[in-house]
Amino acid sequence: MEKLTDSEEYKRDQLIKKIEHAVEHMKLAELEAVSYDLFVKGYLQEP
């Protein structure tokens, strides 16, 4: 993985915070849908 610039790292951190906030407010069905989508795209592995 290539090194991110400070600006890119800041933007990445801000996006992560926004995503975390959104996930905290999702209902179970919404979380399951996001989880499935991430799994299908290869971002999550089955335990």
Side-chain angles (χ1 to χ4, degrees), residues 24-44:
E24 289 172 353
H25 295 88
M26 287 181 176
K27 295 178 182 173
L28 178 58
E30 295 167 326
L31 287 170
E32 289 173 335
V34 170
S35 176
Y36 177 77
D37 190 45
L38 291 171
F39 174 73
V40 168
K41 291 178 179 177
Y43 293 106
L44 291 179

Side-chain angles (χ1 to χ4, degrees), residues 5-22:
T5 65
D6 289 342
S7 177
E8 290 171 325
E9 189 66 32
Y10 175 79
K11 288 178 185 178
R12 183 179 184 280
D13 289 344
Q14 292 303 306
L15 282 171
I16 290 171
K17 287 178 185 177
K18 287 180 182 181
I19 292 167
E20 286 175 341
H21 180 74

